[in-house]
């Protein structure tokens, strides 16, 4: 058993309101500079839709990720031969038009233009060439809130029945926040000829060494989530760094810290690195369960002993025991990986969304099985769509997660209204009152320290005299105060 630790983010899609505060927070801190104007390390997409960059999920076009080739894992679009042949040309890499040409608006011309007969205008200027642009045809979130439109939603590869967008009563929409998944089997790292991309052993964060990167851009082609970008000013690859300067001091990521809906949960997962390759060789519909099986119980003494042999410190083991990510991903099995069939084993997980609450009005509430709560089989978001997005095509793992969400809502609604809460409903979904109460707190009133349990990595973070209530940086013989 080769125990490794990984910082993980979990998203509750049922709570995301699509405000893009997370994207702006990330943009202001990390990519607000020349050459990175089009980069959105964190972005929020409207689903169904084509996403950013356009159609990033279509691996028949982009050929990203891994495939199981006769029992052997290999990169879908690259190998030693293709790498050498395409050293100076990437046929499957997104073009700038697949993102958007970043632009600025010359507002200064409105008040600085010389006197004339015509009203001055604010011209649109390309941030790449500096030339005036005649028309803006795309942007960083061009299809925001446009699910249901045939122009965008119909091109979503997860939507098997595109006719659903023609029926107003069946139209659905949800938001999908995305960042680098910091995968256990990152295709970007495997594809890099310079070996500039590496996965940190202490927390699993995938980073690009800017001193080694030669700008070959194989990483951009190989990443199936298209979360590695090319900076045309520096000639280097850039990507989400999981805000490691913050997490190293025990603070949560900027995107999570700024999240209005509090949909993000951060914590430590322990996993068996020796089983990763074999798990990735499973069929598509078994990948979610195989990935979940790799996650180890941090309360198990044998796991803790093996972790200490791999130099995982005790305060990381304590964080793993209290991790909300472990509760949601492994313990309750509610959070699922995004497109597990890409076989990168992503370490960002998503709790699938429920339909809007159905209001009673006359005889128009046939789908309301439990009062105002929709029945599982009548959800507005099709199960096959969620299974394609989060289950590797396996509807069962999605159904299990949704069943727990519905049972939790029905049970808590009954309690809050003073009605009889039927424990059998929880048991049917695989919950009990203790776990339901824990989940309810996580989803509703959990505070910052409950939603984000991140162990510090810097030595001073473990010293008692630097904790809140201490006396600054002076060494005390008798420490006082505490967190």
């Amino acid at each position: 058993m080769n125990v490794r630790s990984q910082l993980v983010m979990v998203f509750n899609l049922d709570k995301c309101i699509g405000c893009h505060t997370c994207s702006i927070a990330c943009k202001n801190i990390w990519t607000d500079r020349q050459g990175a104007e089009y980069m959105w390390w964190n972005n929020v997409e409207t689903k169904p839709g084509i996403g950013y960059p356009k159609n990033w999920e279509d691996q028949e076009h982009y050929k990203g990720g891994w495939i199981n080739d006769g029992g052997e894992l290999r990169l879908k679009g690259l190998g030693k031969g293709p790498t050498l042949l395409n050293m100076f040309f990437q046929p499957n890499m997104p073009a700038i038009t697949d993102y958007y040409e970043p632009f600025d608006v010359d507002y200064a011309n409105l008040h600085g233009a010389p006197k004339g007969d015509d009203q001055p205008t604010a011209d649109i200027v390309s941030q790449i060439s500096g030339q005036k642009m005649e028309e803006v045809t795309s942007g960083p979130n061009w299809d925001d809130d446009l699910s249901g439109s045939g122009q965008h939603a119909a091109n979503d590869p997860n939507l098997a029945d595109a006719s659903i967008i023609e029926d107003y009563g069946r139209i659905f929409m949800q938001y999908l926040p995305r960042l680098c998944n910091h995968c256990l089997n990152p295709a970007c790292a495997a594809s890099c000829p310079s070996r500039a991309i590496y996965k940190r052993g202490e927390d699993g964060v995938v980073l690009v060494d800017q001193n080694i990167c030669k700008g070959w851009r194989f990483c951009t082609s190989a990443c199936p989530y298209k979360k590695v970008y090319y900076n045309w000013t520096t000639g280097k690859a850039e990507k989400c760094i999981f805000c490691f300067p913050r997490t190293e001091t025990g603070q949560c990521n900027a995107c999570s810290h700024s999240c209005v809906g509090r949909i993000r949960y951060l914590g430590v997962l322990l996993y068996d690195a020796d089983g990763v390759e074999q798990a990735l060789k499973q069929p598509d519909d078994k990948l979610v369960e195989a990935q979940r099986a790799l996650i180890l119980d941090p309360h198990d003494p044998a796991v803790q002993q093996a972790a200490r042999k791999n130099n995982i410190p005790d305060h990381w083991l304590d964080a793993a025991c209290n991790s909300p990510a472990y509760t949601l991903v492994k313990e309750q099995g509610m959070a699922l990986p995004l497109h597990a069939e890409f076989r990168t084993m992503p370490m960002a997980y998503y709790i699938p969304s429920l339909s809007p609450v159905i209001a009673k009005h006359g005889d128009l509430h046939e789908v309301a099985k439990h009062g105002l709560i929709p029945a599982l089989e009548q959800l507005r978001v099709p199960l096959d769509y969620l299974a394609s997005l989060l289950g590797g095509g396996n509807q069962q793992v999605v159904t299990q997660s949704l069943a727990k969400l519905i049972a939790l809502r029905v049970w808590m609604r009954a309690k809050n209204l003073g009605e009889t809460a039927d424990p059998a409903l929880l048991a049917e979904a695989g919950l009990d009152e203790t776990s339901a109460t824990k989940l309810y707190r996580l989803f509703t009133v959990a505070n910052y320290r409950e939603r984000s349990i991140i162990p510090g990595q810097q030595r001073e973070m473990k010293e008692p005299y630097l904790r809140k209530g201490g006396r600054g940086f002076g060494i005390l013989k008798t420490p006082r105060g505490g967190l």
Side-chain angles (χ1 to χ4, degrees):
M1 184 165 54
N2 185 4
V3 180
R4 303 288 181 88
S5 57
Q6 174 79 40
L7 273 179
V8 168
M9 186 177 291
V10 178
F11 304 79
N12 187 351
L13 298 183
D14 214 29
K15 297 176 67 179
C16 182
I17 62 176
C19 63
H20 304 279
T21 307
C22 52
S23 301
I24 298 301
C26 177
K27 188 70 175 173
N28 286 339
I29 294 176
W30 300 117
T31 60
D32 187 17
R33 62 187 182 281
Q34 188 175 9
E37 295 91 348
Y38 80 108
M39 297 182 193
W40 293 85
W41 290 358
N42 181 106
N43 71 296
V44 181
E45 300 172 0
T46 300
K47 304 298 287 182
I50 56 178
Y52 174 80
K54 296 186 181 83
N55 300 309
W56 63 269
E57 293 165 288
D58 184 4
Q59 301 313 320
E60 294 304 315
H61 172 66
Y62 286 122
K63 302 188 184 305
W66 301 81
I67 59 173
N68 186 0
D69 187 8
E72 293 295 328
L73 292 174
R74 68 171 180 84
L75 292 171
K76 185 178 181 68
L78 296 170
K80 291 183 178 179
T83 298
L84 292 173
L85 292 174
N86 297 320
M87 187 65 75
F88 300 101
F89 173 67
Q90 293 293 327
N92 303 316
M93 188 178 68
I96 191 64
T97 52
D98 293 314
Y99 299 98
Y100 69 102
E101 184 170 359
F103 57 88
D104 206 348
V105 181
D106 186 14
Y107 291 114
N109 189 53
L110 292 177
H111 59 79
K115 291 183 178 180
D117 296 332
D118 299 324
Q119 172 70 33
T121 60
D123 294 331
I124 301 169
V125 180
S126 170
Q127 290 183 324
I128 299 177
S129 65
Q131 302 298 314
K132 177 181 176 181
M133 297 172 61
E134 295 297 330
E135 185 181 7
V136 175
T137 57
S138 63
N141 204 29
W142 201 247
D143 60 344
D144 193 23
D145 294 338
L146 290 180
S147 285
S149 90
Q151 183 178 358
H152 299 286
N155 295 320
D156 190 325
N158 303 291
L159 195 61
D161 182 12
S163 65
I164 193 172
I165 64 176
E166 300 173 1
D167 184 352
Y168 182 79
R170 299 172 65 199
I171 290 174
F172 67 95
M173 186 187 80
Q174 64 180 22
Y175 298 107
L176 180 70
R178 293 205 305 122
L179 43 68
C180 173
N181 296 289
H182 298 277
C183 309
L184 299 190
N185 185 39
C188 58
S191 67
C192 179
S194 304
R195 297 186 178 181
I197 302 182
Y198 62 99
K199 187 173 179 67
R200 299 207 310 186
E202 59 267 34
D203 55 10
V205 174
V206 177
L207 299 174
V208 181
D209 190 329
Q210 297 286 298
N211 295 320
I212 298 177
C213 178
K214 300 298 188 296
W216 297 118
R217 289 176 276 186
F218 286 99
C219 50
T220 303
S221 295
C223 174
Y225 304 96
K226 294 298 171 274
K227 279 298 176 181
V228 186
Y229 302 88
Y230 177 73
N231 187 312
W232 58 75
T233 298
T234 64
K236 306 287 186 179
E238 297 185 13
K239 59 179 290 299
C240 163
I241 61 174
F242 210 70
C243 286
F244 74 83
R246 295 174 59 91
T247 60
E248 284 180 354
T249 59
Q251 303 176 76
C252 74
N253 314 56
C255 58
S256 179
H257 187 86
S258 64
C259 179
V260 175
R262 297 183 177 183
I263 76 164
R264 303 184 185 222
Y265 303 86
L266 288 157
V268 177
L269 290 183
L270 302 180
Y271 67 94
D272 183 6
D274 287 342
V276 170
E277 182 178 1
Q278 191 58 40
L280 290 170
K281 293 179 180 179
Q282 300 298 314
D284 287 357
D285 59 352
K286 301 294 183 183
L287 286 171
V288 172
E289 294 167 320
Q291 180 169 336
R292 191 181 290 162
L294 288 178
I295 300 171
L296 303 172
D297 183 359
H299 304 90
D300 187 341
V303 172
Q304 294 185 3
Q305 182 179 5
R308 292 188 179 100
K309 287 183 179 179
N310 269 2
N311 298 316
I312 297 177
D314 285 344
H315 71 290
W316 273 70
L317 295 179
D318 292 340
C321 289
N322 297 311
S323 171
Y326 178 77
T327 298
L328 298 172
V329 176
K330 176 72 172 185
E331 194 173 50
Q332 299 301 332
M334 298 181 70
L336 308 169
L338 179 65
H339 285 298
E341 70 275 12
F342 294 164
R343 287 183 164 78
T344 61
M345 200 161 283
M347 286 290 106
Y349 292 83
Y350 295 82
I351 298 174
S353 58
L354 282 175
S355 299
V357 171
I358 305 298
K360 284 189 175 183
H361 185 269
D363 296 328
L364 302 178
H365 62 281
E366 291 85 356
V367 299
K369 183 177 181 181
H370 307 288
L372 300 180
I373 311 299
L376 178 60
E377 61 274 8
Q378 295 291 343
L379 290 175
R380 198 167 185 177
V381 183
L383 285 176
D384 59 352
Y385 182 84
L386 291 174
S388 175
L389 193 68
L390 302 175
N394 186 346
Q395 291 191 22
Q396 183 179 1
V397 292
V398 175
T399 299
Q400 291 170 349
S401 180
L402 293 174
K404 291 184 178 182
L405 287 174
I406 291 175
L408 180 62
R409 284 195 179 191
V410 174
W411 185 69
M412 287 306 305
R413 183 173 184 271
K415 287 192 64 175
N416 290 334
L417 293 178
E419 301 174 354
T420 302
D422 187 5
L425 180 66
L426 295 177
E428 185 180 346
L431 295 171
D432 54 34
E433 293 195 24
T434 301
S435 59
T437 302
K438 184 177 181 180
L439 287 174
Y440 169 73
R441 180 170 183 84
L442 269 179
F443 291 159
T444 55
V445 298
N447 60 32
Y448 175 89
R449 292 298 178 188
E450 292 176 273
R451 290 181 287 108
S452 303
I453 299 181
I454 306 174
Q457 295 181 32
Q458 297 183 9
R459 179 194 61 81
E460 60 267 23
M461 296 302 295
K462 294 179 285 185
E463 298 293 340
Y465 52 82
L466 284 180
R467 293 180 179 177
K468 184 179 179 181
R471 296 179 180 173
F473 290 91
I475 298 179
L476 304 178
K477 292 183 179 180
T478 307
R480 70 175 185 178
L483 289 174

